[in-house]
Amino acid sequence: MNAMGVRRTVEQVLALAPDEVSRRAASRLGAAGSWSGTGSGEGIVWGQCEGGGRAPYRTVVDPAGPAYSCGCPSRKSPCKHALGLLLLWTAEGSAVPDGAEPPDWAARWLAARRTRATGAARRPEDAGPADPEAARRRAERRAARVTAGAEELERRLADLVRGGLAEAGQRGYGLWEETAARMVDAQAPGLAGRVRELGAIPGSGPGWPVRLLEECALTHLLDRAWLAAERLPAPLAATVRTRVGLPSVPGGTAVRDRWLVLAQYDTGDGRLTTRRIWLYGAESGRTALVLSFGAAGRAPALALPVGAVVDGELTPHAGSGQLRAEPGEPLLPVAAPAAPPPGGPVGAALDAYGRALREDPWLDSWPVTLAGVVPARAEYGWQLADADGGEALPLTGGDRARPGLWRLLALSGGAPVTVFGECGHRGFTPLAAWSPDTPSETVPLL
């Protein structure tokens, strides 16, 4: 490792791209002819790239973060220019002189970044005394609103069952959206999300009444759990609070490790982009989920390249699964072996998901690693089957059309592979894979 940290590979840099369009554009900008005034030093890389404006775009990157700034109008993070500069620096050629003095504009960005980091690291007592009584009153007022929302939703579900599920297919989505809006007013975004999911089920295909009844039952269970939260075990009560939409906060013992980045992908609802990053600790054996958020139209700030190993401290959130964790400091790339998590057969994955459901009945999926499985075509689509023919897991519908499926097929070539992904009631979503011939090379499947 040098002062700039471990240089990423081209594949790891491209894995930071928010979408395929950015990935292709960055590849074209990763050549010296696109840049002027490049340099690296004091932990950052900078350069100016000709674009559509009258002046070149000034771009600066902190590779260790990674963190980026660019003068282009793109709302994506990282933009194609930041990725292109990283690709140029990754080549380790003379195109980016090392040990240079940052220009004023890059130095100002670095100084502002260091100032923000110092402020974030300040102890709570340095920020002034908090008012615990005011915080308690705010929490009580919000809990009362959530309780009112849960009681209203219970009445809505009772009316639905009393009138018959067939009626749900005739009344349209408007009533569901109105109910969801009431849950938002009650400061219960988790309940609002479940209501919107209920509204999308009627008329969604054969068997929708069964699916609607199942989801109604789970929503009813969540309502009743919230209304009786004070009588639940503490971990389950924390899970219920999170499921109805109350903020989740770190509450466990911090774990320092070298974490293999297993997967990274974004989901969005038009208002918020959520980035899910799965990590595996080499020493602790823990699997952790780090979430990062971006406002509508903007990518989340945190991005980690799949297959990289990063060093840092993670603090788990409260709750039954304790999978979600929060970095206590920047996760820095290090040069270390990247062995996959230990896996097992399909049956072991199903057992793990079943145990997790006992702790969190509203769980959609659980992270598992399958070892010695082969992708195979089945009557209903693709599946991952134990090499000995024991059991198999169907792939989730969306993955059958993704390029990752064909990447997995090419990696396997009919031979057993190791696959990490999310196992749930809809099937298995593959996120990363390893070949027995190259166990240290993580192949992203998204």
Side-chain angles (χ1 to χ4, degrees), residues 345-440:
V346 169
L350 293 173
D351 289 343
Y353 178 50
R355 289 192 298 270
L357 279 177
R358 288 204 304 264
E359 303 295 329
D360 183 355
W362 308 278
L363 189 67
D364 285 329
S365 60
W366 187 255
V368 297
T369 301
L370 302 175
V373 291
V374 179
R377 183 78 177 175
E379 182 179 350
Y380 50 80
W382 287 94
Q383 63 182 11
L384 286 174
D386 291 331
D388 60 7
E391 296 178 279
L393 264 175
L395 300 187
T396 50
D399 288 298
R400 299 171 194 164
R402 290 181 182 173
L405 172 60
W406 310 115
R407 201 175 301 138
L408 176 60
L409 293 174
L411 179 70
S412 168
V417 290
T418 298
V419 184
F420 169 81
E422 296 173 351
C423 178
H425 61 279
R426 295 182 180 90
F428 181 81
T429 302
L431 300 177
W434 299 263
S435 166
D437 299 329
T438 54
S440 62

Side-chain angles (χ1 to χ4, degrees), residues 49-268:
C49 185
E50 294 295 332
R54 298 177 59 182
Y57 298 133
R58 293 174 171 178
T59 308
V60 58
V61 178
D62 176 358
Y68 328 89
S69 177
C70 184
C72 75
S74 174
R75 294 172 63 88
K76 298 179 181 178
S77 177
C79 68
K80 63 183 180 180
H81 305 101
L83 292 168
L85 182 59
L86 266 180
L87 287 173
L88 186 66
W89 177 70
T90 294
E92 299 195 52
S94 58
V96 183
D98 193 16
E101 186 74 20
D104 290 344
W105 54 271
R108 287 195 297 271
W109 179 83
L110 178 60
R113 179 165 166 77
R114 287 173 173 170
T115 298
R116 288 192 299 270
T118 301
R122 187 180 301 158
R123 298 191 308 273
E125 55 266 28
D126 294 335
D131 186 346
E133 181 60 25
R136 184 187 63 80
R137 289 195 299 267
R138 287 194 300 270
E140 287 180 348
R141 287 195 297 269
R142 180 168 186 181
R145 285 191 286 268
V146 174
T147 297
E151 290 172 342
E152 180 178 346
L153 183 53
E154 281 293 277
R155 291 191 292 270
R156 172 72 179 93
L157 293 174
D159 291 343
L160 173 65
V161 174
R162 188 179 301 113
L165 297 182
E167 183 182 352
Q170 302 170 0
R171 303 185 65 174
Y173 188 75
L175 183 60
W176 293 103
E177 184 56 39
E178 179 186 344
T179 305
R182 299 291 293 273
M183 296 303 104
V184 173
D185 292 341
Q187 294 187 289
L191 292 179
R194 298 197 70 87
V195 169
R196 291 192 177 98
E197 291 177 5
L198 291 174
I201 295 176
S204 60
W208 68 260
V210 175
R211 294 194 298 274
L212 179 59
L213 184 60
E214 291 173 346
E215 293 302 320
C216 284
L218 283 173
T219 304
H220 168 69
L221 181 64
L222 181 56
D223 281 340
R224 303 311 303 175
W226 168 261
L227 296 173
E230 69 280 357
R231 298 195 297 271
L232 298 178
L236 182 56
T239 296
V240 170
R241 287 192 293 270
T242 301
R243 291 300 182 186
V244 300
L246 298 186
S248 174
V249 296
T253 302
V255 178
R256 187 173 195 89
D257 209 333
R258 292 189 169 186
W259 305 91
L260 170 62
V261 183
L262 299 172
Q264 173 180 290
Y265 66 93
D266 295 350
T267 58

